Amino acid sequence: MPAKLSVNLNAVALLRNRRDLPWPSVTHLGRLALAAGAHGLTVHPRPDERHTRRADLSLLRALIDDEFPEAEFNIEGFPDAAFLDLVEASQPDQVTLVPDDPAQPTSDHGWDFEAQSAVLAPAVRRLKKGGFRVSLFANPDAAGLAAAKATGADRIELYTGPYGGCHDDPARAAQELRLLAAAAEAARALGLGVNAGHDLTVANLPALVKAVPFLAEVSIGHGLTADALEFGMAGTVARFLKSCGW
């Protein structure tokens, strides 16, 4: 089965937050994405609410429950106490833990699983007890994935930023793709599912899904939102689904 597409709504929320107005509506754009065939929605509610707000979460949960019950809701964030409380209140289908400092503009690296196991293991246990699937943001490096597995997580999400940054350098892109494929194979050998996300586009997705044919999910926000300005949300989702192999 091709990789499922989860539409990250952070860029939509960031645009909304430029004005004290309710548009563009994060919920409405999520509805358009799901109606066009997206398999889920992703948000990363940072503490400063500079894009997704805590108030958005219950609305998105209700949207999926009421109109698209087969879709999934994925919440990303750093596993401090406030985030874990927020997750438990919002009841997503998947929680993706990322090692972000609150001041970071966006996620830009994966976990050091061995060094940060004391942070991750109790958070994963708590989330698994709550019935959530747990994914851990990971660099494209096989080293340390055994420690990721030891936390009890279900999946990793490969950080594809370096690959996405090679849009004008085919040789480097091929090298980054080899690293992603090797890390994905190592994760699969350990029994971890594999997601991917960051700077993925219609242009670079086909090579990724060919290199990692067992990829479970891609989470895409910035590139998808940029394309939606040109093709509309429904047309853009169709383009990304095709690039995933649907």
Side-chain angles (χ1 to χ4, degrees):
M1 179 181 293
K4 293 183 177 180
L5 173 65
S6 185
V7 173
N8 189 315
L9 295 169
N10 281 0
V12 175
L14 183 65
L15 180 59
R16 175 200 61 191
N17 293 356
R18 293 184 69 247
R19 297 286 187 272
D20 186 22
L21 296 166
W23 61 81
S25 166
V26 173
T27 307
H28 180 60
L29 269 295
R31 177 182 290 109
L32 293 178
L34 294 173
H39 302 96
L41 302 175
T42 292
V43 292
H44 186 156
R46 287 181 167 85
D48 62 6
E49 296 195 314
R50 62 180 179 268
H51 35 63
T52 307
R53 298 169 178 160
R54 287 180 286 277
D56 294 320
L57 303 185
S58 61
L59 298 175
L60 292 170
R61 180 72 267 177
L63 168 68
I64 291 173
D65 289 343
D66 295 345
E67 301 181 35
F68 303 96
E70 300 302 313
E72 289 196 346
F73 190 27
N74 174 43
I75 299 180
E76 301 178 340
F78 183 85
D80 59 14
F83 176 77
L84 296 175
D85 288 345
L86 184 63
V87 164
E88 290 170 343
S90 304
Q91 293 292 299
D93 302 282
Q94 178 175 266
V95 184
T96 301
L97 302 182
V98 296
D100 279 11
D101 182 279
Q104 281 182 227
T106 187
S107 303
D108 61 10
H109 64 282
W111 291 97
D112 181 335
F113 292 113
E114 294 179 354
Q116 295 173 298
S117 62
V119 172
L120 289 170
V124 172
R125 283 196 300 270
R126 176 173 167 178
L127 292 168
K128 294 288 290 180
K129 186 177 180 180
F132 308 113
R133 183 198 308 135
V134 181
S135 180
L136 304 178
F137 208 51
N139 294 316
D141 183 355
L145 290 181
K149 174 67 175 179
T151 67
D154 303 286
R155 297 183 183 181
I156 60 166
E157 180 179 329
L158 287 171
Y159 170 52
T160 53
Y163 172 59
C166 297
H167 53 85
D168 57 353
D169 189 342
R172 185 169 153 241
Q175 180 182 4
E176 294 292 344
L177 199 58
R178 286 191 291 272
L179 294 174
L180 288 164
E185 287 288 357
R188 182 168 71 156
L190 290 165
L192 290 163
V194 182
N195 298 341
H198 216 83
D199 294 337
L200 295 174
T201 67
V202 166
N204 64 30
L205 265 171
L208 176 64
V209 298
K210 182 178 180 181
V212 188
F214 51 87
L215 196 61
E217 175 189 288
V218 291
S219 175
I220 307 176
H222 182 82
L224 191 148
T225 305
D227 277 12
L229 296 174
E230 182 174 357
F231 302 103
M233 180 59 80
T236 295
V237 167
R239 283 162 50 83
F240 274 84
L241 286 171
K242 183 177 180 181
S243 288
C244 288
W246 292 93

